[in-house]
């Protein structure tokens, strides 16, 4: 557990976290991560360091270098991102004169391609016997909605009944930074949700607004959704562990594969930057490469 920040660092750190919470609408989990990363840095500085304005670029770079053996590249990049974000805020508020984090060098992170299911695997996963029990009906609706609309896990568990426009077959979701977007709901997903709504009244208690409820009659949790999706992956005989984000990845790659419209996929996924969505072009290329290898005479010819 990271120790609390020394007294001379606390006021500006608390201001920064309040800014992230109220101005940027960051989640509690993200705020905790930023605080842990920043406290890890300042707790390794000399005890007589006067505060944020007294930290030098050399000190920060030495800290990052010292952490290379104990932290993975992704964790180091997160720490630098927290420092850069903090100092941008402090400069904006005119609390420091320069940004010692601006020139920190971080190790390059190899981007892992997101894992997704192909169309046949998705069909097998979703072709479950929802008449088995009410929870199977609910789970089918959850997975159909993930695949139909590309929701994030938190967006799905926070969805309310009032978020669905049945006349237009749309759903309103609140994504990162509390940003809203409106997504289409596919015909099969809408039918699966309607089947769930028919049995849902038996699970309504305190949170009557929640779209998806648990056996305990409370809003379903992210952890429980992960467990149920993984369970159905096993029961439907898939060769890999299935998780909610995999369904979102499958939605993105299949839509891009069919349409080629990267900008539309970006909008539906709620990505702030197109570069985040571009990873799916690699998946699309993998699909094209397989088609080429299977069909092109020169690709099939043995050397």
């Amino acid at each position: 557990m990271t120790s609390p920040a020394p007294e001379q660092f606390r006021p500006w750190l608390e201001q920064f976290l309040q800014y992230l919470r109220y101005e940027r609408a960051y989640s509690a989990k993200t705020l905790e991560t930023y605080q842990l990363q920043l406290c890890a840095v300042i707790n390794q500085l000399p005890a007589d360091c006067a505060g944020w304005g007294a930290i030098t670029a050399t000190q920060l770079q030495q800290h990052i270098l010292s952490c290379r053996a104990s932290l993975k590249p992704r964790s180091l990049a997160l720490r630098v991102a927290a420092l850069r974000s903090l100092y941008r805020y402090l400069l904006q508020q005119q609390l420091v004169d320069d940004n010692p984090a601006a020139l920190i060098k971080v190790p390059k992170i190899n981007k892992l391609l997101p894992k997704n299911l192909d169309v046949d695997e998705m069909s097998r996963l979703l072709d479950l016997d929802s008449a088995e029990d009410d929870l199977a009906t609910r789970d089918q609706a959850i997975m159909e909605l993930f695949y139909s609309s590309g929701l994030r896990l938190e967006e799905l568990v926070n969805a309310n009944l009032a978020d669905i426009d049945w006349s237009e077959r749309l759903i309103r979701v609140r994504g990162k930074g509390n940003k809203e977007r409106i997504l289409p709901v596919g015909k099969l997903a809408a039918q699966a949700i309607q089947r769930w709504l028919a049995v849902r009244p038996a699970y309504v208690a305190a949170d009557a607004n929640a779209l998806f409820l648990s056996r305990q009659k409370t809003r379903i949790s992210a952890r429980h959704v992960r467990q149920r999706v993984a369970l159905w992956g096993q029961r439907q005989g898939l060769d890999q562990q299935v998780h909610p984000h995999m369904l979102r990845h499958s939605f993105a790659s299949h839509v891009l594969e069919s349409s080629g419209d990267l900008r539309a996929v970006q909008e539906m996924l709620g990505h702030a930057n197109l570069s985040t969505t571009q990873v799916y072009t690699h998946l699309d290329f993998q699909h094209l490469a397989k088609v080429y290898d299977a069909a092109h005479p020169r690709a099939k010819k043995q050397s």
Side-chain angles (χ1 to χ4, degrees):
M1 187 75 176
T2 304
S3 304
E7 185 65 36
Q8 67 270 33
F9 291 95
R10 288 180 195 169
W12 291 359
L13 177 58
E14 290 172 359
Q15 285 182 40
F16 172 61
L17 294 173
Q18 292 295 312
Y19 160 76
L20 294 182
R21 179 181 180 185
Y22 294 110
E23 299 293 328
R24 302 296 301 276
Y26 281 15
S27 68
K29 183 66 175 176
T30 302
L31 294 177
E32 180 185 1
T33 299
Y34 269 61
Q35 184 172 13
L36 288 172
Q37 294 297 332
L38 294 170
C39 286
V41 175
I42 58 183
N43 284 321
Q44 288 193 19
L45 293 171
D48 59 354
C49 184
W52 296 109
I55 299 175
T56 67
T58 300
Q59 285 176 316
L60 292 183
Q61 188 63 56
Q62 287 175 341
H63 169 78
I64 296 300
L65 289 173
S66 71
C67 293
R68 279 177 178 261
S70 58
L71 294 180
K72 295 180 180 179
R74 192 171 296 277
S75 298
L76 280 176
L78 177 61
R79 184 159 299 181
V80 172
L83 283 165
R84 287 175 177 167
S85 181
L86 168 71
Y87 275 102
R88 280 197 298 268
Y89 168 77
L90 296 179
L91 274 174
Q92 180 186 359
Q93 299 298 314
Q94 299 182 337
L95 297 172
V96 296
D97 297 324
D98 58 4
N99 183 352
L103 299 177
I104 301 177
K105 296 179 181 178
V106 292
K108 186 176 181 180
I109 301 174
N110 294 324
K111 268 196 172 182
L112 298 176
L113 292 180
K115 292 182 179 179
N116 69 296
L117 301 173
D118 63 30
V119 175
D120 290 339
E121 289 172 325
M122 279 302 313
S123 296
R124 193 192 319 170
L125 176 66
L126 298 175
D127 188 24
L128 55 90
D129 183 7
S130 61
E132 181 179 319
D133 58 36
D134 291 350
L135 297 186
T137 302
R138 179 203 63 192
D139 294 345
Q140 186 177 44
I142 285 174
M143 293 189 294
E144 287 278 8
L145 185 56
F146 270 132
Y147 183 52
S148 158
S149 308
L151 273 65
R152 298 182 177 95
L153 176 55
E154 290 298 323
E155 293 168 349
L156 183 130
V157 299
N158 289 325
N160 294 321
L161 287 173
D163 293 330
I164 300 181
D165 179 349
W166 289 107
S167 62
E168 299 292 334
R169 224 164 62 208
L170 300 169
I171 185 168
R172 182 187 303 273
V173 299
R174 289 160 292 279
K176 290 184 177 180
N178 209 29
K179 294 179 181 177
E180 288 191 352
R181 66 188 194 283
I182 297 175
L183 300 167
V185 178
K187 182 179 179 181
L188 294 178
Q191 292 172 351
I193 295 170
Q194 290 282 14
R195 289 194 294 272
W196 157 243
L197 293 181
V199 299
R200 179 183 173 278
Y203 297 86
V204 175
D207 196 341
N209 297 319
L211 177 58
F212 295 111
L213 299 163
S214 68
R215 192 193 299 272
Q216 288 71 36
K217 299 185 178 182
T218 59
R219 182 183 293 270
I220 197 167
S221 68
R223 180 185 178 190
H224 190 49
V225 172
R226 289 192 200 96
Q227 291 173 339
R228 296 294 292 185
V229 170
L231 173 65
W232 283 112
Q234 293 172 355
R235 292 181 65 173
Q236 298 300 93
L238 297 179
D239 294 332
Q240 54 186 316
Q241 184 175 2
V242 182
H243 53 80
H245 217 58
M246 186 180 288
L247 305 188
R248 174 172 157 88
H249 291 322
S250 301
F251 157 83
S253 59
H254 295 169
V255 170
L256 181 60
E257 205 171 274
S258 299
S259 69
D261 193 334
L262 190 64
R263 183 70 68 177
V265 174
Q266 177 197 3
E267 292 292 327
M268 287 187 281
L269 290 176
H271 287 162
N273 299 310
L274 190 62
S275 60
T276 309
T277 318
Q278 283 175 331
V279 67
Y280 294 103
T281 63
H282 299 295
L283 293 175
D284 191 38
F285 177 79
Q286 287 179 344
H287 168 75
L288 294 175
K290 288 179 180 178
V291 172
Y292 178 88
D293 289 341
H296 197 285
R298 289 291 188 184
K300 292 189 293 183
K301 187 173 182 177
Q302 296 296 319
S303 58

